[in-house]
Amino acid sequence: MSSLDDEVWPAYLERTRELAGQLLHADDPYDVGLQLMGDTIEVIITGEYEYAVSMYNLWGDLTDRMELKPAEGDLAKAEMVRAAREWLALDCRDSDAVKRYFDHWLHDILHHDRS
């Protein structure tokens, strides 16, 4: 990692935690989910970060559910809150824990292909 990477990634992780905290108290978590996606796109553009694409896919799927399946809106909101709560409970510096978090959400819950 370059010195830029040393600055960007910790700031991004802190931002994800800040947004996850906001989402827990938001009237509509959808907007905060979109903000998580937007902030993640900016990080992906600046370089390759191991879990940024997973973060983007997670929040993309959760917000898409609100858009594409409005009848499941309440369930989608509850899932967003659960994903945010679990992210906040996680030590983001523990790579194994982060991997387990994304494996669980992307594969077990959102049914992404493991390949």
Side-chain angles (χ1 to χ4, degrees):
M1 269 192 199
S2 72
S3 62
L4 176 61
D5 294 335
D6 291 341
E7 296 169 14
V8 171
W9 189 243
Y12 167 72
L13 289 176
E14 184 59 35
R15 179 69 176 148
T16 64
R17 295 183 63 73
E18 178 185 314
L19 288 170
Q22 289 176 20
L23 189 142
L24 293 180
H25 305 289
D27 291 332
D28 187 359
Y30 174 80
D31 291 331
V32 181
L34 289 178
Q35 196 166 0
L36 272 158
M37 286 178 57
D39 286 5
T40 300
I41 279 291
E42 289 179 25
V43 169
I44 292 169
I45 290 170
T46 63
E48 282 298 315
Y49 297 98
E50 187 173 5
Y51 295 109
V53 171
S54 295
M55 181 70 81
Y56 181 82
N57 288 337
L58 170 61
W59 289 99
D61 281 10
L62 292 172
T63 55
D64 280 356
R65 188 173 189 182
M66 295 271 307
E67 295 169 12
L68 302 174
K69 298 179 180 179
E72 296 180 14
D74 288 340
L75 180 57
K77 287 178 184 179
E79 291 287 41
M80 286 183 203
V81 169
R82 187 165 66 113
R85 187 171 285 122
E86 289 177 13
W87 182 251
L88 288 169
L90 186 67
D91 177 358
C92 295
R93 295 167 303 207
D94 180 345
S95 186
D96 290 336
V98 172
K99 181 181 182 328
R100 285 190 304 272
Y101 172 86
F102 285 119
D103 281 347
H104 172 70
W105 275 96
L106 293 174
H107 304 298
D108 299 337
I109 299 204
L110 299 171
H111 306 293
H112 280 229
D113 186 357
R114 288 195 186 269
S115 59

